[in-house]
Amino acid sequence: MKKDLIELQRDFVNYRLGQFIHFNSATFQFNSTEMMDWEYGVENDGATRKYPFNEKDFNPSKLDCKQWADASKSMGARFAALTSKHHEGFCLWNTKTTSHSINNATRN
């Protein structure tokens, strides 16, 4: 039986605890600085980036997503959500809408 939207929303609320994972260009760009935040809205407004990020620098060759899942599970999370495009505009999927994406990342 297919659930309606109200039932799906109720189920989601009843999960109670979840984890949101923010993994993007800033993970690499600002991981060794005191930078607290970065460009907001630049991608959509066409302004010049104050902190340019070379997409080729995005190369998570030692990425262990199972580690994320295990951490979520160990804290009792019932769901996890990956932010696939954060406000700095870097897309974690292939897209034709912007060059600021994994399309231009270094591939192993």
Side-chain angles (χ1 to χ4, degrees), residues 5-22:
L5 182 58
I6 299 297
E7 290 174 304
L8 292 171
Q9 289 173 328
R10 187 178 308 116
D11 289 348
F12 180 75
V13 168
N14 288 331
Y15 285 152
R16 301 284 183 212
L17 179 65
Q19 180 177 21
F20 288 85
I21 301 167
H22 295 268

Side-chain angles (χ1 to χ4, degrees), residues 12-70:
F12 180 75
V13 168
N14 288 331
Y15 285 152
R16 301 284 183 212
L17 179 65
Q19 180 177 21
F20 288 85
I21 301 167
H22 295 268
F23 177 72
N24 53 31
S25 61
T27 304
F28 298 92
Q29 187 175 14
F30 300 121
N31 67 350
S32 60
T33 70
E34 293 183 22
M35 179 67 63
M36 297 300 286
D37 209 326
W38 57 99
E39 336 264 11
Y40 180 77
V42 170
E43 187 67 22
N44 297 323
D45 295 336
T48 303
R49 291 187 178 279
K50 186 175 180 182
Y51 307 104
F53 176 73
N54 185 342
E55 294 81 9
K56 297 210 180 305
D57 290 340
F58 188 82
N59 184 11
S61 60
K62 296 180 182 176
L63 182 62
D64 183 1
C65 296
K66 184 179 180 315
Q67 178 186 31
W68 299 349
D70 290 346

